[in-house]
Amino acid sequence: MAATVRRQKPRRLACWALMTVLLADLLALSDTLAVMSVDLGSESMKVAIVKPGVPMEIVLNKESRRKTPVTVTLKENERFFGDSAASMAIKNPKATLRYFQHLLGKQENNPHVALYKARFPEHELGFDPQRQTVYFQISPQLQFSPEEVLSMLLNYSRSLAEDFAEQPIKDAVITVPAFFNQAERRAVLQAARMAGLKVLQLINDNTATALSYGVFRRKDINSTAQNIMFYDMGSGSTVCTIVTYQTVKTKDAGIQPQLQIRGVGFDRTLGGLEMELRLREHLARLFNEQRKGQRAKDVRENPRAMAKLLREANRLKTVLSANADHMAQIEGLMDDVDFKAKVTRAEFEELCADLFERVPGPVQQALQSAEMKLDEIEQVILVGGATRVPKVQEVLLKAVGKEELGKNINADEAAAMGAVYQAAALSKAFKVKPFVVRDAVIYPILVEFTREVEEETGVRSLKHNKRVLFSRMGPYPQRKVITFNRYSHDFNFHINYGDLGFLGPEDLRVFGSQNLTTVKLKGVGESFKKYPDYESKGIKAHFNLDESGVLSLDRVESVFETLVEDSPEEESTLTKLGNTISSLFGGGSTPDTKENGTDTVQEEEEGPAEGSKDEPGEQAELKEEAEAPAEDTSSPPPPEAKGAAAPEGEKAAEKDGGDKPEAQKPVVCRTLLSRFGF
């Protein structure tokens, strides 16, 4: 018996060792389960987390507040964030940075850079010749780009979340304004990388708000489409969004609720900050008038005094939203002189009269992009702190023609809660109820290229072609592939924004360059020499517009095909038997069967330029190469969109069905091409 015990003892030790390792792995996994979201507003940010046992909770900062000022104070040897930095704005206004997100992805000649200098003259902005962007010159030895400042703030937000969750956090979903273009989105991603965050998704703040609204009203969503308008006026900008809610049949989860962004309108500079700046200017004028006969300096020349006035203007705007008048008062505003003045709501509304006239603008833009009328909108819901101004509500109510405006959503925290729900859905550590989200492309993207063509007279000329990759208000994420089938040598093509006619002249200047990049392909000629006996299937460029709305060129390849003899006698008996059984039970393939059921894969071949007559052999061909996901079946893909083919979907494109003899089998060869510029 003792011998038996001795034989089992090593086994017991091995089992205990294995259990110890598994337990250690589980403990390590539990330390990284939490995910976070950051609702990055112009004036303040909200951070939310999800962890086991804590579903969707707003993080409290060190002052036990649910929102934190987006403010950073930078000194030689120390940094302050949030409320601590906001309190330093009076003592050291030059080193205290606010509203720096307005400079993300902006070149020096951008109108928003000049506007920032006019609003905050205490900040010295330098020019980076390499990046063609600006940076903050805090001191001769201290300078930071807007992306670096944002990365510091994101790192601070992560520390708040980790303290609240009591475990490390790396995965995050960050909200961005819906009108952010490619440069601005890439700037936010760069800042997140510098902060050590793994960004699961950049979600548009209007989409996050709509998701939060839908998640908490899941039972009210049915097969009948409901059109809801969200009017979001924050501190820095205004965005109006039309969202359609309804249940759809999904491939994996059955019938589930879905939100689809149908229309978006925006005003980049209409918000609470501009109202506060108008009030600050009014208070500065009143203070100067009170000291007119004392040969005193203009208060506008004193950065500390102007910082005090801006803080008082912020308080005054909030109080006047609930009161007809209020007394503005600042102790020791400048030169130990106190300031006191009465301001009425009527005076405030007169100061901002032109701003209130712009309130209906985003509504009209959203309706136009959605191709809808106001009577199709069931409800208009207010979001954002600036919508609490009574005059804003009055003008908006008149513009939409409704009996009342919806206020049944947390205007400050809805985006943060929607973003953290999305973070939990994207994380592998949590399982949430599916909610299909179909976001929309705001700025169309196209490919332009030029090549030589031979006309009937034998004269060769250059022909300019445009192909739309992602159309306006088309859904994303999605992949597309465009085929260039008239090239046998190295060439270039341009990736540009499409028609931006819906933007006004000022918005176009703020938007910046419409050229995203120029791609230079190398090795095309060599690939043709490598496969001289093969038939060319064109040069295929694979594009991806991911969940964050960021465009990338995955790869460019030269594709060739040839036919080889495939003798039927070589097929084994087992293979024949398997194919027969499969066809008997419905498993055989049919000509209409799609190979890839997970991606919407489309392919468009190079064709005539927009507006030109089709030439023989140049007619554009649009193919559905893979079955669209069930949740995407509620609306067809946008017209003229160039499909992005996943590798599996590509195989379906290159298969010509019944055109090939049964005894021949196509063989496809691909050569990756070198590219520069993307």
PDB file of all heavy atoms in Angstrom, residues 170-183:
ATOM      1  N   LYS A 170      -6.183  49.049 -20.112  1.00  0.00           N
ATOM      2  CA  LYS A 170      -5.456  49.389 -21.334  1.00  0.00           C
ATOM      3  C   LYS A 170      -6.387  49.638 -22.517  1.00  0.00           C
ATOM      4  O   LYS A 170      -6.080  50.427 -23.400  1.00  0.00           O
ATOM      5  CB  LYS A 170      -4.471  48.264 -21.679  1.00  0.00           C
ATOM      6  CG  LYS A 170      -3.360  48.686 -22.611  1.00  0.00           C
ATOM      7  CD  LYS A 170      -2.304  47.609 -22.721  1.00  0.00           C
ATOM      8  CE  LYS A 170      -1.127  48.091 -23.568  1.00  0.00           C
ATOM      9  NZ  LYS A 170      -0.080  47.069 -23.692  1.00  0.00           N
ATOM     10  N   ASP A 171      -7.541  48.953 -22.549  1.00  0.00           N
ATOM     11  CA  ASP A 171      -8.461  49.065 -23.677  1.00  0.00           C
ATOM     12  C   ASP A 171      -9.425  50.216 -23.460  1.00  0.00           C
ATOM     13  O   ASP A 171      -9.968  50.391 -22.351  1.00  0.00           O
ATOM     14  CB  ASP A 171      -9.250  47.767 -23.857  1.00  0.00           C
ATOM     15  CG  ASP A 171      -8.338  46.594 -24.176  1.00  0.00           C
ATOM     16  OD1 ASP A 171      -7.180  46.847 -24.563  1.00  0.00           O
ATOM     17  OD2 ASP A 171      -8.773  45.439 -24.027  1.00  0.00           O
ATOM     18  N   ALA A 172      -9.666  50.986 -24.523  1.00  0.00           N
ATOM     19  CA  ALA A 172     -10.531  52.153 -24.393  1.00  0.00           C
ATOM     20  C   ALA A 172     -11.247  52.433 -25.700  1.00  0.00           C
ATOM     21  O   ALA A 172     -10.761  52.123 -26.789  1.00  0.00           O
ATOM     22  CB  ALA A 172      -9.721  53.381 -23.968  1.00  0.00           C
ATOM     23  N   VAL A 173     -12.420  53.040 -25.578  1.00  0.00           N
ATOM     24  CA  VAL A 173     -13.152  53.629 -26.700  1.00  0.00           C
ATOM     25  C   VAL A 173     -13.208  55.128 -26.447  1.00  0.00           C
ATOM     26  O   VAL A 173     -13.567  55.563 -25.357  1.00  0.00           O
ATOM     27  CB  VAL A 173     -14.570  53.041 -26.832  1.00  0.00           C
ATOM     28  CG1 VAL A 173     -15.403  53.852 -27.823  1.00  0.00           C
ATOM     29  CG2 VAL A 173     -14.509  51.592 -27.281  1.00  0.00           C
ATOM     30  N   ILE A 174     -12.815  55.908 -27.431  1.00  0.00           N
ATOM     31  CA  ILE A 174     -12.735  57.363 -27.294  1.00  0.00           C
ATOM     32  C   ILE A 174     -13.729  57.997 -28.250  1.00  0.00           C
ATOM     33  O   ILE A 174     -13.814  57.607 -29.419  1.00  0.00           O
ATOM     34  CB  ILE A 174     -11.311  57.873 -27.584  1.00  0.00           C
ATOM     35  CG1 ILE A 174     -10.300  57.183 -26.660  1.00  0.00           C
ATOM     36  CG2 ILE A 174     -11.219  59.382 -27.447  1.00  0.00           C
ATOM     37  CD1 ILE A 174      -8.850  57.512 -26.978  1.00  0.00           C
ATOM     38  N   THR A 175     -14.472  58.987 -27.767  1.00  0.00           N
ATOM     39  CA  THR A 175     -15.420  59.681 -28.632  1.00  0.00           C
ATOM     40  C   THR A 175     -14.728  60.840 -29.340  1.00  0.00           C
ATOM     41  O   THR A 175     -13.845  61.492 -28.784  1.00  0.00           O
ATOM     42  CB  THR A 175     -16.619  60.232 -27.844  1.00  0.00           C
ATOM     43  OG1 THR A 175     -16.190  61.304 -26.991  1.00  0.00           O
ATOM     44  CG2 THR A 175     -17.266  59.154 -26.999  1.00  0.00           C
ATOM     45  N   VAL A 176     -15.135  61.074 -30.569  1.00  0.00           N
ATOM     46  CA  VAL A 176     -14.657  62.216 -31.356  1.00  0.00           C
ATOM     47  C   VAL A 176     -15.860  62.845 -32.032  1.00  0.00           C
ATOM     48  O   VAL A 176     -16.880  62.177 -32.254  1.00  0.00           O
ATOM     49  CB  VAL A 176     -13.616  61.785 -32.417  1.00  0.00           C
ATOM     50  CG1 VAL A 176     -12.356  61.268 -31.767  1.00  0.00           C
ATOM     51  CG2 VAL A 176     -14.204  60.753 -33.364  1.00  0.00           C
ATOM     52  N   PRO A 177     -15.791  64.124 -32.383  1.00  0.00           N
ATOM     53  CA  PRO A 177     -16.903  64.740 -33.116  1.00  0.00           C
ATOM     54  C   PRO A 177     -17.121  64.059 -34.462  1.00  0.00           C
ATOM     55  O   PRO A 177     -16.169  63.601 -35.110  1.00  0.00           O
ATOM     56  CB  PRO A 177     -16.449  66.195 -33.298  1.00  0.00           C
ATOM     57  CG  PRO A 177     -15.457  66.418 -32.202  1.00  0.00           C
ATOM     58  CD  PRO A 177     -14.767  65.105 -32.000  1.00  0.00           C
ATOM     59  N   ALA A 178     -18.361  63.998 -34.890  1.00  0.00           N
ATOM     60  CA  ALA A 178     -18.681  63.323 -36.151  1.00  0.00           C
ATOM     61  C   ALA A 178     -18.027  64.001 -37.338  1.00  0.00           C
ATOM     62  O   ALA A 178     -17.763  63.355 -38.355  1.00  0.00           O
ATOM     63  CB  ALA A 178     -20.202  63.282 -36.338  1.00  0.00           C
ATOM     64  N   PHE A 179     -17.731  65.312 -37.222  1.00  0.00           N
ATOM     65  CA  PHE A 179     -17.170  66.049 -38.360  1.00  0.00           C
ATOM     66  C   PHE A 179     -15.652  65.946 -38.444  1.00  0.00           C
ATOM     67  O   PHE A 179     -15.045  66.566 -39.315  1.00  0.00           O
ATOM     68  CB  PHE A 179     -17.588  67.523 -38.299  1.00  0.00           C
ATOM     69  CG  PHE A 179     -17.299  68.195 -36.984  1.00  0.00           C
ATOM     70  CD1 PHE A 179     -16.015  68.575 -36.634  1.00  0.00           C
ATOM     71  CD2 PHE A 179     -18.327  68.447 -36.089  1.00  0.00           C
ATOM     72  CE1 PHE A 179     -15.753  69.188 -35.426  1.00  0.00           C
ATOM     73  CE2 PHE A 179     -18.083  69.069 -34.874  1.00  0.00           C
ATOM     74  CZ  PHE A 179     -16.786  69.442 -34.548  1.00  0.00           C
ATOM     75  N   PHE A 180     -15.013  65.183 -37.576  1.00  0.00           N
ATOM     76  CA  PHE A 180     -13.561  65.025 -37.657  1.00  0.00           C
ATOM     77  C   PHE A 180     -13.201  64.329 -38.976  1.00  0.00           C
ATOM     78  O   PHE A 180     -13.783  63.291 -39.324  1.00  0.00           O
ATOM     79  CB  PHE A 180     -13.054  64.200 -36.477  1.00  0.00           C
ATOM     80  CG  PHE A 180     -12.512  65.043 -35.349  1.00  0.00           C
ATOM     81  CD1 PHE A 180     -12.907  66.359 -35.179  1.00  0.00           C
ATOM     82  CD2 PHE A 180     -11.588  64.524 -34.450  1.00  0.00           C
ATOM     83  CE1 PHE A 180     -12.416  67.135 -34.142  1.00  0.00           C
ATOM     84  CE2 PHE A 180     -11.085  65.282 -33.411  1.00  0.00           C
ATOM     85  CZ  PHE A 180     -11.505  66.602 -33.262  1.00  0.00           C
ATOM     86  N   ASN A 181     -12.203  64.876 -39.673  1.00  0.00           N
ATOM     87  CA  ASN A 181     -11.743  64.254 -40.914  1.00  0.00           C
ATOM     88  C   ASN A 181     -10.604  63.275 -40.617  1.00  0.00           C
ATOM     89  O   ASN A 181     -10.293  62.989 -39.458  1.00  0.00           O
ATOM     90  CB  ASN A 181     -11.341  65.319 -41.938  1.00  0.00           C
ATOM     91  CG  ASN A 181     -10.245  66.238 -41.423  1.00  0.00           C
ATOM     92  OD1 ASN A 181      -9.461  65.863 -40.553  1.00  0.00           O
ATOM     93  ND2 ASN A 181     -10.169  67.445 -41.959  1.00  0.00           N
ATOM     94  N   GLN A 182      -9.971  62.758 -41.673  1.00  0.00           N
ATOM     95  CA  GLN A 182      -8.940  61.736 -41.496  1.00  0.00           C
ATOM     96  C   GLN A 182      -7.757  62.247 -40.675  1.00  0.00           C
ATOM     97  O   GLN A 182      -7.242  61.544 -39.796  1.00  0.00           O
ATOM     98  CB  GLN A 182      -8.448  61.262 -42.868  1.00  0.00           C
ATOM     99  CG  GLN A 182      -9.483  60.512 -43.675  1.00  0.00           C
ATOM    100  CD  GLN A 182      -9.843  59.177 -43.064  1.00  0.00           C
ATOM    101  OE1 GLN A 182      -8.970  58.387 -42.708  1.00  0.00           O
ATOM    102  NE2 GLN A 182     -11.132  58.912 -42.920  1.00  0.00           N
ATOM    103  N   ALA A 183      -7.308  63.484 -40.936  1.00  0.00           N
ATOM    104  CA  ALA A 183      -6.156  64.026 -40.210  1.00  0.00           C
ATOM    105  C   ALA A 183      -6.457  64.173 -38.727  1.00  0.00           C
ATOM    106  O   ALA A 183      -5.622  63.853 -37.869  1.00  0.00           O
ATOM    107  CB  ALA A 183      -5.747  65.373 -40.810  1.00  0.00           C
TER     108      ALA A 183
END
